[in-house]
Amino acid sequence: MPSTSSSNQSGERESGAEKDEGATRRMQLSQDQRAVLEAVYAMEKLPDSRLRERLATYLSLSARQIQVWFQNRRQREHRHRFGNLTAAPSHPPPPSSASVSPARMH
């Protein structure tokens, strides 16, 4: 089974993502770009493709970067509004015997 990390010539370890030339990098927005996106988000949470294209041209980003930013922003708002639901147990605990009424027990 191949390893996901390797040693470079100087002996330092690098992960698979670091050594890939085509690896994607995290988008770092300027304050101006973020301000524009937040202002548009306040008016339109789900922009159509035409608006995404216009924003991409105006902000010198790709339409895909704009789309992902809006997806992430909606998710951040959802988590803020409803809390992180992934931390809750997937199934409620079984009822204790004290919570069962005597009339139901036979």
Side-chain angles (χ1 to χ4, degrees), residues 6-25:
S6 62
S7 296
N8 63 17
Q9 290 177 350
S10 65
E12 296 173 7
R13 304 286 286 173
E14 57 184 28
S15 72
E18 291 171 345
K19 68 180 179 179
D20 292 340
E21 292 178 20
T24 58
R25 297 183 62 107

Side-chain angles (χ1 to χ4, degrees), residues 33-105:
Q33 288 172 319
R34 187 173 293 111
V36 169
L37 289 169
E38 288 289 349
V40 172
Y41 182 80
M43 295 181 292
E44 181 64 52
K45 295 191 184 332
L46 194 64
D48 61 13
S49 60
R50 286 181 33 206
L51 180 53
R52 287 194 308 265
E53 287 290 341
R54 288 175 54 205
L55 284 168
T57 301
Y58 181 75
L59 298 173
S60 300
L61 298 169
S62 71
R64 178 66 180 150
Q65 287 173 306
I66 300 296
Q67 182 181 37
V68 168
W69 185 90
F70 273 88
Q71 287 174 344
N72 291 342
R73 183 63 179 85
R74 287 190 302 271
Q75 185 62 38
R76 203 173 331 135
E77 182 177 285
H78 180 80
R79 275 196 319 265
H80 178 72
R81 186 176 295 169
F82 298 106
N84 189 355
L85 300 178
T86 60
S90 59
H91 298 287
S96 67
S97 59
S99 66
V100 177
S101 68
R104 291 187 167 226
M105 295 177 66

